[in-house]
Amino acid sequence: MRKDTTDDLQLSPPWKILLILIFSSLTFSVSAQDILKGKVTDMQGEALPGVSILLKGTDIGTIADFNGDFQLSKRPAIGDSIQFSFIGMKEIVMPYNGEEFLQVKMEESVVGLEEVVVIGYGEQVKKDITGAVALVGADEFKDRPNTQVGALIQGKAAGVKVVSSSGKPSAGFNIRIRGTNSINANSEPLYVVDGVPTTDTRSLNPADIENISVLKDASSAAIYGAQGANGVVLITTKRGKSEKPVITLDAYAGVNQVWKTLPVLNGEQYRDLMQEMGQSTDWDRYHHNTDWQKEIFQNGFNQNYQLSVAGKNKGTSYYLSGGILDQQGAVRSSEMQRINFKVNLDQEVNEWLKIGTSVNYTIYEDVDVKDNSNVNAGGVLLGALTTPPVISIFNEDGTYTSNPFQNWENPLAHTDASERLFRNKRFLGNVYLEARPLEGLTYRSNVGIDHSADIYDYFLDPFSTSYGRALKGQGINTTNNNQYFIWDNTIKYQEQLQNHHFDILAGSVIQKFQWENSHIERRNFAGDNVTTPNGGAEVTAATATKSQKANASFLGRMNYSYDDRYLLTANFRADASSVFGRENRWGYFPSFSAGWRISNEAFLKNVDQISDLKLRAGWGIVGNDQIGTYASRGRIGYGANYPIGGQTMPGSYPASLENQHLKWEESEQLNIGLDVGVLSGRLRLTADAYIKTTNDLLLEAPLPTSTGFRSAWQNIGALENRGLEFLISSVNVEGPLEWTTDFNISMNRNKVLSLAEPIYSGYISERDNAIRITEGEPLGSIYGYLFGGVDPDTGNAYYIDQNGESTFSPSPEDRRLIGDANPDFIYGLTNTVSYKGLSLMIFLEGSQGNQMLNASRIETEGMTGPKNQSRAVLDRWKQPGDQSQIPKASWGNTDNSRISNRFVEDASYLRVKAVTLSYYLPTAWLEKAHLASAKIYVTGENLLTFTSYSGFDPEVNAFGGSNTVQGIDYGTYPLSRNLILGVNIGF
């Protein structure tokens, strides 16, 4: 696969092909005597489609078609220069000598090494990078429709784990770069969109993204100091490049559905189980056989439309786009809509001054479906599995039915009976000024803002559900108004002194955050005509809060290279955060990295087989302050009211313990890497090894009760991540038929190095915590009992205690490590085969060695109450002498379904993440239709999943992006299988 070089147009393949057809479509009306025709090939004579041809000094240009043929709309004058440029090929500038037909051959350049890569506060040529930086360019995701940024990265970057906490349309992605770095502090990477840091990328339109750079190690991320502890994801959006307008319409529509359902008892089997458990009732009243999974699952529908125009004219570069996305999920009532507007403008005022702006405005709405909860807490997925099949959806009076033995709603009451709408309006943008007063000196000032305002409205009428009747209706309104402001100023100086190249950067950053929240809940509604909280007569909750946070920073960086062989980078950043006490407010974060381009040494310069060989090493420290806004301060709480003189008087109380010694959580990382390119760059390998240690963990640790407080933020503990990463890219076949492969695999080992005392979390309803965090074990350690089997005499489950003996009543001390949610390795494989206008892309993604606590099975195989059960319980113990691994049914007895290795499963999977077949319409067809380009494609997502996991989906996690609670499935909304048909049209 050919990559960009410094002198190329820097256009990604969709834009190249788009321009081919735009310019070729504009030439059909030009008279033959005024045009110049020609053909462009490589050195072997193979046609080069997409080559940019420009008559220097004018805006007259075109693009070579799929056969390498081109025609300029105006014949040049003798001596005029014609420029030929193409990604991965050496640029040609040749004089015109009056030829009737031009035959041009282009020589291949070293693939990818001259590509300009976005790094922190600047850019760097790829061959000079000394840190661990993963690149995801537009050519990586051009053939796949995506709705979120996380999907663009998943499986594409070694060492980057993208976790889908849920498959519902409103769910986002959680990204972990080289493991989880903290216990209580945030472990999400910093996202920087066109220079503006942000934390939520759900509102970004992937169609506007040009490329993504992932800064993985401390030497590359330390320039972001406090915010770079978990890595940095730099997102660059598209800007105008062509001198003629490029108008593009993208549209697709598709259907989605769950790829798997779970077998549960039918009505007759359920009645048998209830009677065996001693439940007697008038079963003639309950004669239905409702398939609740069939009722809640549906064929969802997706549609997306995106229109953009881009260009560059007389010093003005512009990109404008608008898009509409509408998603209906595979579970009833789950949906999401997003409307995006994007404007990127750059204006060259004169030779030394440039100004510009990037603005993104989003209107976002979704209707959520509650998962990861038991049926009595409104969990829809567990409700579908455990609601008795013997009842119908509605009672005779039109109200929703409930479990006949307990007043728990059926799952459709949770999807259809309430109104719940989340709405968000977000403005994300910046304005910059860039001045070059002297040669080599650049000053840049950037002001950015991220303003988000959202409203959540909920209404449950007082008639249709038993819960609504108990509350006499419920109305909730929650509003959030969040603002972020950044102002950064940098000065950069570049100098070339013979073989010495210097690139020096210095700057300052000011940031401020502000959050506002209000919440009101009212009950006791007279009817359902007024759905806002003012219709309720009783106020049950009303709060309003505000909080602020500020950061100030100074930064510096020096890049040095000698003779294109020896490379050195040094970063330093000083950060102050209002989160910490006055004594430790400032943190200091240095980093160093070096590179040796061995391929440029004299002993390898004449080795044609090796196009690139570079050894890298880096060390650095980054910080983390992502905890409570006022964590170090002693706060005052309100609501402790006192009765005085027969009246209730307002009172306050100490709400938290002050800790002025609270300081930065710091991560120190050592990275060693190797970059290898052979066969003129057709085969490339990148390998990295790292050790990352996080010290002074920001931990909300328990306190002795004598202090009067349960816990306080402290710096306690340390943890370690170490791992290996490999990325292999190859051009297997070149020519009219092209086949490229990208493969990455990474291994990370996490371990808690020190901790004052074990921490328990991940509570499972009516059981216990399923996660333990303690020294010597990794985060995500599943904790419980060791299941021994089922006693054939009594039918009860027995467990193995710490002494290796069997017991029916193990003590809490008998619990142990029973599973590990961390994979042995994760990987991604992409193969792309193209022939002329036809292209096939197959993307595989997988995880190996991770385990999952299938807590849904605790509910569906426990047989402790009136819930429906899995068909697995048909093999349960029923009488003395039965040999079974499923204990007997026992009403109210949770001892037979303790959290144990009985419910821990191998959750390894290989998923066919995406398959796309696309076809670019021939030029002759486009000319007749007066189109510049047209591509049609069909995409299948999550088509096949190879796994032994018995639950809905091995890729999800009930506790979302939690640092500690990983590998638990508790009625989690599964990922859906999607089939999409789309078209891309250029005008």
Side-chain angles (χ1 to χ4, degrees), residues 16 34 123 155 288-289 294 363 409 445 461 675 759 918 929 940:
K16 292 186 301 183
D34 293 331
E123 298 176 336
H288 295 275
N289 190 20
K294 184 178 179 181
I363 302 172
E409 313 284 0
S445 182
D461 72 69
D675 300 324
I759 299 174
S918 57

Side-chain angles (χ1 to χ4, degrees), residues 938-971:
V938 59
T939 294
E941 294 185 323
N942 303 322
L943 290 179
L944 295 171
T945 302
F946 302 95
T947 182
S948 62
Y949 182 63
S950 67
F952 278 124
D953 200 302
E955 196 178 338
V956 297
N957 180 33
F959 290 81
S962 170
N963 293 342
T964 57
V965 188
Q966 307 168 30
I968 296 180
D969 181 359
Y970 194 53

Side-chain angles (χ1 to χ4, degrees), residues 182 188 607 760 805 954:
S182 185
E188 282 286 305
V607 180
Y760 300 91
E805 298 179 355

